[in-house]
Amino acid sequence: MNDLIDAARDVQDRAHVPYSDYRVGAALETEDGEVFVGCNLENANYSNSLHAEEVAIAEAVKNGHREFSRLAVSSNRRDGVTPCGMCRQTLSEFCDDDLVVLCDDGDDEVTEYTLGELLPNTISQDTLE
């Protein structure tokens, strides 16, 4: 578990956060054990900003992965940050409800959720038909 949290912490240094100074890192592990990381990239027009989880999943999908086992998220404040609603929905496009989501509370404290707990009754292809 700590290896994934460490990867999320490490990538925070690359975040572009001139407006909020709120650095977020994400580390997404594929079913076969490969890890893809992402950090948040702010834009003066906040709606154009990219979230760490989105960057990580985009990198993984770009590299041909579609099955994931765990996600770790961490902020520079070690405040137990969870993926926002938009990121939860993006994750649900590629991940099952049982995706483990590890949230960094600081020191050696981690809160563990599943994606299904964070986003019950998700919008899916089935709900659109």
Side-chain angles (χ1 to χ4, degrees), residues 64-117:
H65 295 277
R66 296 282 194 280
E67 294 181 3
F68 305 99
S69 61
R70 300 185 305 161
L71 170 74
V73 292
S74 177
S75 79
N76 58 325
R77 299 194 186 137
R78 306 292 192 266
D79 56 2
V81 64
T82 65
C84 72
M86 181 176 68
C87 288
R88 294 173 192 193
Q89 182 62 47
T90 298
L91 288 163
S92 75
E93 187 71 20
F94 298 96
C95 305
D96 294 329
D97 284 349
D98 62 352
L99 174 78
V100 173
V101 181
L102 306 169
C103 301
D104 187 0
D105 294 318
D107 297 322
D108 291 327
E109 299 295 319
V110 174
T111 302
E112 183 176 314
Y113 302 95
T114 64
L115 182 58
E117 289 173 316

Side-chain angles (χ1 to χ4, degrees), residues 11-126:
V11 74
Q12 289 173 31
D13 291 337
R14 294 182 239 159
H16 176 74
V17 292
Y19 309 102
S20 72
D21 195 37
Y22 189 74
R23 296 176 180 278
V24 177
L28 181 64
E29 184 178 57
T30 66
E31 283 292 341
D32 62 1
E34 195 167 349
V35 174
F36 292 88
V37 297
C39 58
N40 55 329
L41 307 168
E42 290 180 350
N43 187 291
N45 173 356
Y46 277 108
S47 65
N48 289 357
S49 296
L50 298 174
H51 297 191
E53 301 91 332
E54 293 176 297
V55 174
I57 201 161
E59 187 67 18
V61 169
K62 180 185 83 165
N63 281 282
H65 295 277
R66 296 282 194 280
E67 294 181 3
F68 305 99
S69 61
R70 300 185 305 161
L71 170 74
V73 292
S74 177
S75 79
N76 58 325
R77 299 194 186 137
R78 306 292 192 266
D79 56 2
V81 64
T82 65
C84 72
M86 181 176 68
C87 288
R88 294 173 192 193
Q89 182 62 47
T90 298
L91 288 163
S92 75
E93 187 71 20
F94 298 96
C95 305
D96 294 329
D97 284 349
D98 62 352
L99 174 78
V100 173
V101 181
L102 306 169
C103 301
D104 187 0
D105 294 318
D107 297 322
D108 291 327
E109 299 295 319
V110 174
T111 302
E112 183 176 314
Y113 302 95
T114 64
L115 182 58
E117 289 173 316
L118 293 173
L119 187 66
N121 303 314
T122 183
I123 299 169
S124 68
Q125 185 174 5
D126 293 339

